[in-house]
Amino acid sequence: MKKSIVLIGFMGVGKTTLGKELARKLQCGFLDIDAEIEAKYGMEAVDIFNVYGEKEFRKTEREMIVDACQLEGKVISVGGGAFMQEEIRKACMEHAIVIFLDMSFGYWKERISLLLPTRPVLQGKSLEEIKSLFDERQAIYNEHHIRLPIDNLDVDAAVQTIHDKLKLL
Ligand SMILES: Nc1ncnc2c1ncn2[C@@H]1O[C@H](COP(=O)(O)OP(=O)(O)O)[C@@H](O)[C@H]1O
Ligand SMILES: O=C(O)C1=C[C@@H](OP(=O)(O)O)[C@@H](O)[C@H](O)C1
Ligand SMILES: [Mg+2]
């Protein structure tokens, strides 16, 4: 596998979880950009947003992803907001294989309580506001090479399906 694989999709759809397992199955390296950003600042994303602001988080996210997506043979999970930046979308689409993990809102909202404490972007928002954000973000995920509908798929099934789709490329 020469090109790296970049997993995109809304917060909490399983990019980090599946990325780790996919890398294990493909026997290649795994990079989670949020974990890299958190390691750089020595704090969690919620605190980076509070202390340095979202603008700084997005700048670091952009620099790291533009570099990482040009590496060979890695599975890379990016944050759900990364594709809002055109520079990131362009670099990933050019250099990597972009896989969109596509979950319906009905299914996603069952996961919300798991996500609230660690996702700064969700904090202080009503369910309607989160639904609007979810709908807005779907447009930015339209740029991808492979779409994986992910409702009802457990981690093993999702990894197997991605593996099968990659073989067809
Ligand atoms: N296929 C799945 N089935 C059930 N729960 C999942 C699945 N994938 C992820 N999760 C759970 O959902 C939450 C968010 O997963 P995570 O991988 O962090 O998503 P993301 O990186 O897209 O934000 C975690 O608590 C994780 O354990
Ligand atoms: O959607 C977003 O704007 C964000 C998603 C998060 O990553 P996950 O998609 O892995 O939760 C993380 O990058 C940060 O909290 C911002
Ligand atoms: Mg993640």
mmCIF file of all heavy atoms in Angstrom, residues 12 14-17 32 34 77-79 119, ligand 3:
data_model
loop_
_atom_site.group_PDB
_atom_site.id
_atom_site.type_symbol
_atom_site.label_atom_id
_atom_site.label_comp_id
_atom_site.label_asym_id
_atom_site.label_seq_id
_atom_site.Cartn_x
_atom_site.Cartn_y
_atom_site.Cartn_z
ATOM 1 N N GLY A 12 -17.219 11.178 16.417
ATOM 2 C CA GLY A 12 -17.824 10.029 17.089
ATOM 3 C C GLY A 12 -18.304 8.905 16.198
ATOM 4 O O GLY A 12 -18.839 7.919 16.690
ATOM 5 N N GLY A 14 -16.436 6.896 14.700
ATOM 6 C CA GLY A 14 -15.522 5.759 14.902
ATOM 7 C C GLY A 14 -14.222 5.842 14.122
ATOM 8 O O GLY A 14 -13.546 4.831 13.938
ATOM 9 N N LYS A 15 -13.820 7.038 13.718
ATOM 10 C CA LYS A 15 -12.593 7.177 12.922
ATOM 11 C C LYS A 15 -11.361 6.677 13.684
ATOM 12 O O LYS A 15 -10.524 5.966 13.139
ATOM 13 C CB LYS A 15 -12.384 8.657 12.509
ATOM 14 C CG LYS A 15 -13.552 9.220 11.696
ATOM 15 C CD LYS A 15 -13.364 10.689 11.359
ATOM 16 C CE LYS A 15 -13.337 11.628 12.537
ATOM 17 N NZ LYS A 15 -14.595 11.757 13.284
ATOM 18 N N THR A 16 -11.268 7.071 14.950
ATOM 19 C CA THR A 16 -10.108 6.676 15.755
ATOM 20 C C THR A 16 -10.127 5.170 16.028
ATOM 21 O O THR A 16 -9.122 4.466 15.836
ATOM 22 C CB THR A 16 -10.105 7.469 17.082
ATOM 23 O OG1 THR A 16 -9.975 8.861 16.761
ATOM 24 C CG2 THR A 16 -8.970 7.048 17.988
ATOM 25 N N THR A 17 -11.285 4.678 16.445
ATOM 26 C CA THR A 17 -11.423 3.252 16.790
ATOM 27 C C THR A 17 -11.162 2.370 15.565
ATOM 28 O O THR A 17 -10.381 1.411 15.631
ATOM 29 C CB THR A 17 -12.860 2.984 17.303
ATOM 30 O OG1 THR A 17 -13.151 3.933 18.319
ATOM 31 C CG2 THR A 17 -13.027 1.588 17.831
ATOM 32 N N ASP A 32 -3.298 9.099 14.710
ATOM 33 C CA ASP A 32 -4.533 9.814 15.029
ATOM 34 C C ASP A 32 -4.149 11.280 15.235
ATOM 35 O O ASP A 32 -3.412 11.609 16.165
ATOM 36 C CB ASP A 32 -5.181 9.248 16.297
ATOM 37 C CG ASP A 32 -6.520 9.916 16.555
ATOM 38 O OD1 ASP A 32 -7.511 9.520 15.924
ATOM 39 O OD2 ASP A 32 -6.564 10.869 17.367
ATOM 40 N N ASP A 34 -5.743 13.941 16.196
ATOM 41 C CA ASP A 34 -6.112 14.566 17.475
ATOM 42 C C ASP A 34 -5.142 14.159 18.591
ATOM 43 O O ASP A 34 -4.759 14.987 19.418
ATOM 44 C CB ASP A 34 -7.546 14.199 17.870
ATOM 45 C CG ASP A 34 -8.558 14.943 17.019
ATOM 46 O OD1 ASP A 34 -8.309 16.116 16.698
ATOM 47 O OD2 ASP A 34 -9.588 14.351 16.667
ATOM 48 N N SER A 77 -6.373 8.847 11.076
ATOM 49 C CA SER A 77 -7.699 9.326 11.481
ATOM 50 C C SER A 77 -7.588 10.819 11.750
ATOM 51 O O SER A 77 -6.718 11.247 12.520
ATOM 52 C CB SER A 77 -8.162 8.617 12.753
ATOM 53 O OG SER A 77 -8.276 7.242 12.500
ATOM 54 N N VAL A 78 -8.455 11.585 11.110
ATOM 55 C CA VAL A 78 -8.438 13.037 11.351
ATOM 56 C C VAL A 78 -9.699 13.419 12.129
ATOM 57 O O VAL A 78 -10.656 12.658 12.186
ATOM 58 C CB VAL A 78 -8.321 13.843 10.026
ATOM 59 C CG1 VAL A 78 -7.081 13.424 9.246
ATOM 60 C CG2 VAL A 78 -9.566 13.716 9.159
ATOM 61 N N GLY A 79 -9.716 14.610 12.701
ATOM 62 C CA GLY A 79 -10.890 15.085 13.431
ATOM 63 C C GLY A 79 -12.032 15.400 12.464
ATOM 64 O O GLY A 79 -11.809 15.669 11.280
ATOM 65 N N ARG A 119 -15.621 16.426 23.437
ATOM 66 C CA ARG A 119 -15.689 17.102 22.140
ATOM 67 C C ARG A 119 -16.098 18.570 22.354
ATOM 68 O O ARG A 119 -17.280 18.880 22.513
ATOM 69 C CB ARG A 119 -16.687 16.417 21.192
ATOM 70 C CG ARG A 119 -16.463 14.924 20.881
ATOM 71 C CD ARG A 119 -15.041 14.568 20.535
ATOM 72 N NE ARG A 119 -14.907 13.291 19.839
ATOM 73 C CZ ARG A 119 -14.690 12.119 20.427
ATOM 74 N NH1 ARG A 119 -14.633 12.019 21.748
ATOM 75 N NH2 ARG A 119 -14.527 11.028 19.688
HETATM 76 MG MG MG B 3 -11.157 10.608 16.640
#
